[in-house]
Amino acid sequence: MNARGAVRGPARFAALAAAAAIALAGCAATPGSEPEASDSGELSGTLSVYAAASLATAFDRIAEEFEAENSGVDILPLVYDGSSTLARQIVEGAPADVFAAADETNMTTVQDAGLVAGSAELFASNTLVIVVPAGNPGGVTSLGDLANPDLSIVLCAPEVPCGAASTTLLAGAGAGAGVEVQPVSVEQNVTAVLTKVATGEADAGLVYRTDVVDRDDVESIVPDGAAEVVNRYPIAALADAANPEAAAAFVGFVLGARGQKILADSGFGTP
């Protein structure tokens, strides 16, 4: 058993039980129905949040508003990366209080290690788009064009949620025959794919629809079958959180009305 999953003694057990009770209290509700966090002076200390790279814009805003509501809490710089990378780091002992993944598979990895307090809750969804540089110099119009050997295509690695979704989409989910793509590189998070396309290092890639909101350096194309390949995002306070009360409150904020509005404004769908 890794250090994060070890039994720590009565005082530690009581703190974890309290965190689990707080997290479970919100499980019966749906996103948008949880009470908002308030600045009661009861929450304090630092909070460490690990979140999928595709959540960066939305979670930066959520963190800012959460801190405004809870002036005693200082959220450390949020850690963004591919969900598989974050899950591995958490299982290996990374000091996270909250984990928000871009798919259920990587949350299950953390949950199976006994590191989730209570249960994870779905809070958002996302689908893929084809992204091309502004002006679309490669003339890409569909998934089939990604098989053109004259084009440079970049994708997420298969073990990353955006990569798993890309594999499913390219295999023909909801769109007929599959498309075989030979990418020039595979990346460990969706941000890296977007960056390579935006800078002209690649002619096209597959990213989430939320990644192209309010950007003028790229263009996007909704491919056939995208609506049938949906990533659902879970969030959980972690059982070994150093600040379990603030962790549970942050999860509640994401599931609550203000967190859900920020996510919707950033292009995310409901779970």
Side-chain angles (χ1 to χ4, degrees):
M1 178 179 291
N2 61 69
R4 289 179 62 85
V7 176
R8 301 296 179 84
R12 184 62 170 168
F13 179 82
L16 296 180
I22 292 171
L24 284 170
C27 290
T30 56
S33 65
E34 283 75 4
E36 299 291 344
S38 62
D39 191 0
S40 62
E42 295 180 359
L43 295 178
S44 62
T46 59
L47 184 66
S48 175
V49 177
Y50 281 41
S54 54
L55 290 166
T57 299
F59 265 43
D60 281 349
R61 289 181 55 199
I62 285 173
E64 181 179 350
E65 293 202 15
F66 181 83
E67 284 185 325
E69 291 286 335
N70 300 275
S71 59
V73 177
D74 178 23
I75 298 180
L76 300 174
L78 282 79
V79 178
Y80 297 116
D81 209 329
S83 295
S84 59
T85 298
L86 298 177
R88 181 176 65 253
Q89 290 173 347
I90 290 169
V91 170
E92 291 175 351
D97 296 316
V98 174
F99 177 40
D103 69 348
E104 295 169 85
T105 299
N106 284 290
M107 181 61 75
T108 297
T109 297
V110 176
Q111 196 156 16
D112 287 349
L115 300 178
V116 169
S119 61
E121 295 290 332
L122 296 175
F123 68 94
S125 63
N126 219 342
T127 54
L128 296 173
V129 296
I130 301 169
V131 63
V132 298
N136 192 8
V140 175
T141 61
S142 68
L143 280 179
D145 292 332
L146 303 187
N148 185 343
D150 294 329
L151 297 179
S152 297
I153 309 301
V154 61
L155 300 173
C156 289
E159 67 272 17
V160 180
C162 65
S166 296
T167 298
T168 301
L169 182 63
L170 291 168
V179 177
E180 187 173 346
V181 178
Q182 297 296 325
V184 294
S185 71
V186 292
E187 306 298 331
Q188 289 302 310
N189 60 65
V190 71
T191 303
V193 173
L194 182 63
T195 297
K196 287 201 168 185
V197 174
T199 57
E201 294 182 57
D203 294 305
L206 289 171
V207 300
Y208 295 118
R209 66 184 183 191
T210 55
D211 294 309
V212 297
V213 173
D214 295 329
R215 294 190 64 126
D216 56 12
D217 55 349
V218 295
E219 299 175 14
S220 64
I221 301 144
V222 178
D224 291 341
E228 282 74 51
V229 183
V230 180
N231 278 52
R232 292 178 173 84
Y233 289 56
I235 188 170
L238 297 178
D240 207 22
N243 194 343
E245 294 81 9
F250 184 87
V251 171
F253 191 92
V254 171
L255 295 170
R258 291 180 66 186
Q260 289 294 297
K261 183 179 186 306
I262 291 171
L263 288 160
D265 289 345
S266 298
F268 288 92
T270 55

